[in-house]
Amino acid sequence: MPVAGQSQIWFNGRLVPAAEAVVPVTSHALHYGSSVFEGIRAYATEQGPAVFCLPEHVRRLLDSCRMMRIELPYSPVGIADAIAETVRANGHDSCYIRPVVFRGPGTFSLDPRKAAVEVAIITFPWGRYLGQDAIEQGVDVMVSSWRRAAPGTALPMGKIGGQYVTSQFIAMEAADHGFVEGIALDAQGFISEGSGENVFVVRNGVVHTPPLSGAILPGVTRGVVLTLLGDLGVPVREEQMLRDFLYVADEVFLTGTAAEVTPVRSVDRVQVGAGRRGPVTAQVQEQFFGITAGRLPDRHGWLSHIRTGAAAPVRGGAHAKGERSG
Ligand SMILES: Cc1ncc(COP(=O)(O)O)c(C=O)c1O
């Protein structure tokens, strides 16, 4: 477990030693997956750690709560401040940040709403999710035998704990077959996403990525990469793709907070393009890693520097408690 016992976890409003941030085995989320969570990174910059896309992640956490009918007892600004406080308290230069909102004890009923709402923020150092060489050399992936949820069977826009059993099946199957990751198709057979990453395919200078209707999580990194591609003047199409596309692509890359921007060098043992990172992927990586390291100007305001005081203001505040319009 990467969380050291002496590190601090923000738990229901205050920082406590990790060893004390424990939950009863009667917690509803443990049985039924009634939790929502986020995965966020803070990057080391010359001005200290900077949280990447903090408002976007807080917004998605609130969206997930709304889907799960969870009344979050903190405002978006309160959550953003608590994240900054936890990173500061643990003295990280860079880290992974895991906010989780879950149903605690209170009921064993499948209607979870009598169970208490609990909130924790966990931080820990984390390197390259898909391996040290992955960013340069690329990874070998398979098309998973598992499908993403059919329309009307889940809420892919939400980062909801229980929905991640599918991702676990995808990840275990890929590992068992000697692949780094699996790419799942949606219920109709179109390319959807990895167990924890969005997928981009480059062919003839055009970048293609599945639309939100393809049962994908609206990845924050996906949004960042779409913006960067726009800046670079690379044409992008959000459209459904058959799996054939993966075999005839010039480049394929995965995006996610954990995976960052990772090239794919083969799919189902079929080499992608030249079998190494392609030029579009390299350009996107240069921008992404340049901005997150503070080497390139943060022209879109994606970094919240946390040593200098409060976290960046949270956009999308209409979702704050008591501010809902309808
Ligand atoms: C299923 C799934 N898809 C895509 C992503 C990428 O999303 P993001 O870029 O917000 O980390 C993640 C990771 O959070 C994920 O779990």
Side-chain angles (χ1 to χ4, degrees):
M1 173 162 148
V3 181
Q6 70 275 20
S7 66
Q8 299 281 301
I9 290 180
W10 191 94
F11 194 29
N12 292 329
R14 65 192 184 94
L15 287 164
V16 297
E20 287 174 29
V22 292
V23 296
V25 293
T26 49
S27 295
H28 195 273
L30 207 51
H31 302 259
Y32 304 124
S34 46
S35 64
V36 305
F37 65 101
E38 271 304 315
I40 311 173
R41 270 189 197 263
Y43 286 92
T45 73
E46 278 183 1
Q47 297 92 56
V51 183
F52 190 59
C53 290
L54 180 57
E56 289 78 2
H57 283 286
V58 172
R59 170 68 195 262
R60 192 171 61 189
L61 184 72
L62 268 75
D63 288 346
S64 299
C65 285
R66 184 180 271 225
M67 290 180 213
M68 283 298 285
R69 277 71 159 175
I70 289 175
E71 284 283 333
L72 190 60
Y74 305 97
S75 70
V77 173
I79 292 290
D81 285 346
I83 288 170
E85 191 186 342
T86 314
V87 176
R88 264 189 235 119
N90 286 304
H92 298 297
D93 292 327
S94 65
C95 63
Y96 185 78
I97 304 162
R98 166 55 55 82
V100 57
V101 181
F102 60 97
R103 296 279 185 185
T107 181
F108 279 101
S109 163
L110 280 169
D111 183 339
R113 286 171 290 188
K114 286 200 175 67
V117 172
E118 318 244 17
V119 186
I121 299 166
I122 305 154
T123 62
F124 51 89
W126 214 21
R128 302 279 180 235
Y129 176 59
L130 296 180
Q132 200 54 37
D133 293 340
I135 299 292
E136 282 178 26
Q137 306 301 321
V139 291
D140 301 310
V141 309
M142 65 179 283
V143 174
S144 181
S145 69
W146 295 98
R147 294 291 176 97
R148 297 276 300 165
T153 64
L155 303 172
M157 286 186 80
K159 220 166 154 52
I160 297 169
Q163 296 188 163
Y164 273 76
V165 288
T166 313
S167 284
Q168 293 175 52
F169 292 142
I170 296 166
M172 287 191 286
E173 181 186 49
D176 287 349
H177 287 83
F179 294 96
V180 168
E181 181 55 295
I183 294 177
L185 306 179
D186 67 15
Q188 291 174 278
F190 296 106
I191 298 167
S192 180
E193 63 178 357
S195 67
E197 306 86 16
N198 294 115
V199 181
F200 288 78
V201 181
V202 187
R203 186 173 153 91
N204 294 336
V206 179
V207 176
H208 306 257
T209 197
L212 294 189
S213 56
I216 62 166
L217 183 78
V220 170
T221 322
R222 176 183 182 274
V224 162
V225 166
L226 289 174
T227 301
L228 292 176
L229 288 166
D231 293 352
L232 292 165
V234 179
V236 181
R237 288 198 205 132
E238 292 182 54
E239 62 182 11
Q240 291 178 318
M241 285 172 278
L242 293 168
R243 82 190 267 178
D244 327 13
F245 237 81
L246 295 167
Y247 305 131
V248 299
D250 300 324
E251 301 176 43
V252 176
F253 63 91
L254 304 174
T255 67
T257 298
E260 300 173 296
V261 179
T262 297
V264 171
R265 65 180 177 199
S266 74
V267 179
D268 294 338
R269 307 273 181 229
V270 178
Q271 180 176 298
V272 174
R276 56 177 177 273
R277 174 171 57 187
V280 175
T281 312
Q283 272 181 293
V284 172
Q285 282 188 331
E286 193 184 312
Q287 290 291 315
F288 181 86
F289 291 115
I291 292 171
T292 51
R295 274 198 316 275
L296 293 177
D298 178 23
R299 58 187 185 275
H300 296 290
W302 286 328
L303 298 176
S304 295
H305 292 277
I306 59 167
R307 283 238 176 94
T308 50
V314 173
R315 297 188 289 276
H319 279 238
K321 226 177 160 211
E323 291 175 12
R324 289 182 185 169
S325 52

